[in-house]
Amino acid sequence: REDSDYVVFATGDGAILRVVGVDTAMNPEFANAILDAIEGRIRATGLGFDLFGGYVIARNDAARIRFDLVSSVVSSIVLVALYLLFFCMGSHGMTLTALLPVGLAAFCAISIGSAVFGPLSPIAIAAAAVLLGLGVDFAIHYLVRYQKVRETESCDEAIRRTHRALAVPLGVGMLTTAMAFLSLALGEFGGLAGFGMLLAFGLALAYAGTLYLLPVLLRWMPGTPRPARPSALAAWFDRVAHHRH
């Protein structure tokens, strides 16, 4: 309407208002803050409204990405736990014991990584789901070796022998994988750089948790652990390893 300074529909029942923020929609915290302020002011008038534009897209994308990240981490925990229970550890106690160090490593990696490297991109935070699958390998090797030695030795002696046998090989394997992920930090894309640094840091924490947290958990477990029964999957791999070809 020509008699208005705003874009008002000819019928007079609606208008279009353009809001320009002091920061861009690339800052999700600012996008949420400015949208909350706008919605609060319009609701106070009792008028109906619809929001669109870059800030709205940023907020919706952030909510969708957050849901995807949470669901991926939860599903990763569930799938890894089911795999350990039915195909590897064979008992609830050993499954939880294997998951605790890597779960704590993932939690600390995201928390400390966010504080050290600044706000992490969604791609970087997705490293938590990957870390759960990679970091649990240390605990699998440790617990399988421990259970075998524990059949004939005391808890302390079994831990001591497991440490001596696996500390160096697991450390070398961890460093090899961590260096590969750290190479992502050499690129210009910040999302992949954060992903690589977070995974490398998380693997180091998972390795440390395996060496220092697992022995504490094993000492808390009552009695002698039941020897793990080879699963169908493990038995198949064993047949392949010993096949003449």
Side-chain angles (χ1 to χ4, degrees):
R1 283 189 354 198
E2 294 182 357
D3 60 343
S4 172
D5 293 332
Y6 299 96
V7 180
V8 180
F9 296 124
T11 56
D13 61 352
I16 298 177
L17 302 179
R18 180 170 181 258
V19 178
V20 181
V22 297
D23 202 350
T24 67
M26 297 299 291
N27 184 345
E29 293 183 358
F30 178 80
N32 288 329
I34 192 172
L35 289 174
D36 290 341
I38 293 171
E39 290 174 336
R41 293 188 180 191
I42 300 179
R43 285 197 178 96
T45 66
L47 299 174
F49 64 94
D50 290 314
L51 299 179
F52 57 91
Y55 292 124
V56 178
I57 294 174
R59 181 173 66 177
N60 293 340
D61 284 348
R64 176 178 52 81
I65 292 171
R66 186 180 299 110
F67 173 80
D68 290 343
L69 291 175
V70 172
S71 61
S72 66
V73 171
V74 172
S75 61
S76 178
I77 293 174
V78 172
L79 291 174
V80 170
L82 290 175
Y83 166 75
L84 291 175
L85 180 61
F86 292 106
F87 295 110
C88 193
M89 295 293 103
S91 71
H92 296 84
M94 280 297 183
T95 297
L96 290 175
T97 303
L99 277 175
L100 279 174
V102 67
L104 183 62
F107 176 80
C108 293
I110 293 179
S111 303
I112 300 174
S114 298
V116 175
F117 305 126
L120 297 173
S121 68
I123 296 178
I125 299 177
V130 180
L131 177 60
L132 290 168
L134 288 175
V136 78
D137 289 353
F138 305 137
I140 291 175
H141 287 293
Y142 194 100
L143 290 175
V144 170
R145 179 64 175 254
Y146 168 82
Q147 284 180 303
K148 187 173 182 179
V149 179
R150 185 70 172 89
E151 294 177 7
T152 56
E153 301 291 343
S154 65
C155 176
D156 289 342
E157 182 61 24
I159 290 174
R160 189 176 297 109
R161 290 193 179 187
T162 304
H163 255 68
R164 290 174 178 173
L166 296 182
V168 172
L170 291 182
V172 172
M174 181 273 295
L175 288 175
T176 303
T177 309
M179 290 301 106
F181 282 121
L182 280 178
S183 67
L184 297 175
L186 301 177
E188 297 182 359
F189 182 45
L192 279 180
F195 179 85
M197 289 188 293
L198 205 64
L199 264 178
F201 182 50
L203 283 173
L205 291 177
Y207 172 72
T210 300
L211 292 186
Y212 296 105
L213 180 58
L214 268 188
V216 177
L217 297 175
L218 290 172
R219 287 190 175 95
W220 283 350
M221 296 184 68
T224 304
R226 184 179 58 186
R229 293 178 301 173
S231 64
L233 182 63
W236 181 82
F237 277 118
D238 190 59
R239 289 196 300 272
V240 171
H242 291 84
H243 196 274
R244 64 188 181 90
H245 292 305

